[in-house]
Amino acid sequence: MGKITGFLEFDRIEEGHTPVAERVTNYKEFVIGLTEDQARQQGARCMDCGTPFCSSGCPVNNIIPDFNDLVYRNDWKNAFTVLDSTNNFPEFTGRICPAPCEAACVLNINSDPVGIKSIEHAIIDRAWAEGWVVPRPAARKTGKAVAVVGSGPSGLAAAQQLARAGHAVTVFEKNDRIGGLLRYGIPDFKLDKSHIDKRVAQMQGEGVVFRTGVLVGGLPGEGPGAKVTNLSRETVSAAQLMQEFDAVVLAGGAEHSRDLPVPGRELDGIHFAMEMLPQQNRANAGDKVQEAISAKGKHVIVIGGGDTGSDCVGTSNRHGALSVMQFEVMPMPPEHENGPLTWPYWPIKLRTSSSHEEGVQREFAIATKTFVGDGKGGKTGKVKALRTVQVQLQDGKFNEVPGTEKEWPADLVLLAMGFTNPVASVLEAFGVAKDARGNAKATTDLKGCYTTNVNKVFAAGDMRRGQSLVVWAIREGRQAARAVDEFLMGSSDLPR
């Protein structure tokens, strides 16, 4: 694939970024994609490696060597056809996927991997620009109706696949816009929401019906950090969906934020990340936000070292924070992985995001013991500091290091320690059994794939597997769609 000696001749080319001083003044996307020549050169680096571990490392099993080769040969339209055959939304994954495919690239054993994500980004942006992305409505209708609950990447993928199989699909979203956590969890500077809007328009052209502001079962805002960004105007019961539809796919996100129950947690100025991030996205969309959380002129501490924490760092810098710190309880990972030891699996190594490059002090192996208030108003006072201690991970437990206590100034604390499970009331409304983690209990085995204990109710994405990547959500949505199609029709031509 590609040029036979390309991996020997060409180096990896990273996508460019708008300068930090410029991009932190706004919420626009700042990644500068590869030029046509750069993308072709990256495609040329793809090796004829026999077994393409990149494809197996990709959750949607993109046929990566083929589209790399087609880009190298300047056949962009067929490259898009290949990419589109396995991935419903490359414009999402090409921007926000961490690229496990690149970790699995054979070239990554002892060199820099092929820039697969940047090639994917280039292909889909070219496809939109050339008008190749068009609605593909089913030639024949089946007469079957399917309800999809949740409009994140899993729900959207399931809905699109089912519509193309000829089913009448209705997507229910509790918020006032489509997109789920794509819309209200990922900052605009990482994913401009126009990409979601274009896909919604395409899917409407394929017959998908979207109903926003509709809450299916339960109460909004249930559990820590599980807030509806705009109160639903309408409630639909599980019984009603079961009566009106031939199948139901539960594809909501994992919205329960992990809390930090230490003394002082009740102080003002301590918020879940998913309180601030959706507010900012809503403000960017032109909505009026009541009691907006602002980092302007404040000492900000973000607790949690993952992607959500990184998003908080980038947003805080755009607010104009006085300082930004990020705490991680795990020890600092090595700067470089041992390629021959970890390949083709996802390596543990220090990852510096674009938000980190914009300004942050990172602290590792640190745990918060107490939030300190300003002493005004008792328990209703405001946070002014954190008391921490260094920790060591030994035999699976965190042990405090004596003499390492420290106090850090903080006017705003953002909790970004991940998510635990979906809103339980939705599962309970349908009577769906839960696993030990509180997710919908549904198998991915070929027999009974994605089915729950309730007849004609299926579960996919974060609703089934818990907090995960967008690319995993797309995979599960596609596979669940095939399972639903088989359930309704006895067999399915949809890809698994």
Side-chain angles (χ1 to χ4, degrees):
M1 292 299 171
K3 186 178 181 182
I4 297 300
T5 57
F7 70 97
L8 297 173
E9 297 177 34
F10 306 122
D11 294 328
R12 176 183 170 98
I13 303 174
E14 300 287 352
E15 292 181 308
H17 290 167
T18 302
V20 169
E22 178 182 338
R23 72 188 193 227
V24 295
T25 63
N26 58 69
Y27 295 88
K28 297 177 182 178
E29 286 187 7
F30 54 81
V31 172
I32 302 170
L34 301 183
T35 65
E36 181 178 309
D37 288 342
Q38 288 174 330
R40 292 184 63 196
Q41 189 178 108
Q42 277 302 288
R45 297 183 71 234
C46 189
M47 304 165 66
D48 188 8
C49 55
T51 300
F53 285 88
C54 55
S55 293
S56 57
C58 171
V60 293
N61 303 124
N62 280 334
I63 311 169
I64 294 165
D66 288 31
F67 68 63
N68 282 346
D69 181 59
L70 289 163
V71 167
Y72 166 62
R73 299 181 189 282
N74 210 30
D75 189 351
W76 289 83
K77 191 166 186 179
N78 277 322
F80 165 66
T81 299
V82 171
L83 176 58
D84 184 65
S85 70
T86 56
N87 187 352
N88 295 70
F89 313 118
E91 63 271 35
F92 303 159
T93 53
R95 285 169 166 81
I96 61 176
C97 183
C101 55
E102 294 186 10
C105 175
V106 173
L107 193 54
N108 193 46
I109 297 176
N110 63 351
S111 184
D112 293 325
V114 175
I116 300 167
K117 178 179 173 180
S118 61
I119 294 173
E120 180 177 325
H121 187 181
I123 293 171
I124 189 59
D125 280 9
R126 176 90 174 247
W128 279 109
E130 297 285 352
W132 300 333
V133 186
V134 296
R136 302 208 307 265
R140 291 182 297 274
K141 300 296 183 181
T142 64
K144 302 291 186 180
V146 182
V148 176
V149 181
S151 69
S154 180
L156 291 177
Q160 184 164 67
Q161 293 295 97
L162 287 165
R164 290 175 175 177
H167 306 302
V169 181
T170 302
V171 176
F172 294 87
E173 170 57 51
K174 65 186 178 183
N175 292 306
D176 61 345
R177 293 183 179 91
I178 294 298
L181 292 176
L182 285 171
R183 173 80 65 177
Y184 289 121
I186 297 172
D188 288 1
F189 55 80
K190 288 177 65 176
L191 178 69
D192 189 276
K193 302 311 179 275
S194 63
H195 303 299
I196 303 173
D197 297 336
K198 289 191 293 186
R199 279 297 179 180
V200 168
Q202 181 204 29
M203 292 173 66
Q204 287 174 326
E206 295 172 345
V208 177
V209 175
F210 292 96
R211 292 181 59 184
T212 57
V214 179
L215 183 69
V216 176
L219 296 173
E222 176 193 77
K227 288 195 173 185
V228 180
T229 55
N230 188 37
L231 290 180
S232 304
R233 300 181 296 272
E234 180 184 353
T235 300
V236 174
S237 69
Q240 185 176 342
L241 291 191
M242 295 291 281
Q243 181 179 358
E244 295 180 1
F245 293 88
D246 299 296
V248 177
V249 180
L250 302 180
E255 296 181 277
H256 281 260
S257 299
R258 186 171 284 109
D259 207 347
L260 186 59
V262 299
R265 172 63 181 86
E266 71 284 349
L267 293 167
D268 289 342
I270 304 171
H271 302 274
F272 290 107
M274 289 306 295
E275 292 179 75
M276 183 178 81
L277 296 178
Q279 282 188 351
Q280 187 58 60
N281 286 4
R282 184 168 291 284
N284 293 345
D287 294 350
K288 292 183 178 180
V289 178
Q290 301 295 327
E291 300 179 359
I293 301 167
S294 176
K296 185 175 181 179
K298 295 179 179 178
H299 295 288
V300 180
I301 294 182
V302 179
I303 300 179
D307 289 340
T308 304
S310 176
D311 293 343
C312 290
V313 170
T315 301
S316 296
N317 279 320
R318 281 162 178 76
H319 281 188
L322 192 60
S323 67
V324 184
M325 303 192 68
Q326 187 175 22
F327 289 172
E328 170 58 61
V329 71
M330 296 296 291
M332 183 176 175
E335 289 193 22
H336 302 286
E337 76 272 29
N338 185 332
L341 181 65
T342 60
W343 180 88
Y345 302 108
W346 185 249
I348 302 298
K349 66 176 182 179
L350 181 65
R351 301 179 188 277
T352 301
S353 72
S354 57
S355 291
H356 294 145
E357 295 169 355
E358 295 165 1
V360 66
Q361 179 179 335
R362 303 169 73 181
E363 296 289 333
F364 294 88
I366 190 170
T368 301
K369 297 195 69 171
T370 308
F371 295 111
V372 181
D374 59 7
K376 299 176 182 178
K379 289 187 176 181
T380 60
K382 294 183 178 180
V383 66
K384 72 169 187 178
L386 271 70
R387 291 199 185 105
T388 64
V389 64
Q390 294 295 129
V391 293
Q392 288 182 337
L393 184 60
Q394 297 174 330
D395 300 325
K397 295 181 179 181
F398 289 105
N399 298 317
E400 295 185 3
V401 179
T404 61
E405 292 81 3
K406 188 173 181 179
E407 188 166 297
W408 310 80
D411 307 304
L412 175 64
V413 178
L414 299 170
L415 305 181
M417 302 171 293
F419 307 87
T420 57
N421 53 275
V423 177
S425 58
V426 176
L427 301 179
E428 292 164 359
F430 284 92
V432 170
K434 293 178 279 189
D435 63 17
R437 298 173 59 198
N439 303 317
K441 191 174 183 180
T443 180
T444 56
D445 296 335
L446 289 176
K447 185 177 180 180
C449 190
Y450 292 92
T451 57
T452 68
N453 61 303
V454 181
N455 182 44
K456 76 179 188 181
V457 176
F458 298 75
D462 287 5
M463 183 71 75
R464 189 200 70 83
R465 65 181 289 119
Q467 176 192 7
S468 192
L469 305 176
V470 166
V471 68
W472 271 106
I474 295 172
R475 170 196 171 105
E476 296 226 340
R478 288 172 62 90
Q479 292 188 341
R482 178 183 171 89
V484 172
D485 193 33
E486 286 180 333
F487 169 76
L488 295 176
M489 308 304 295
S491 62
S492 178
D493 292 328
L494 290 174
R496 188 178 189 276

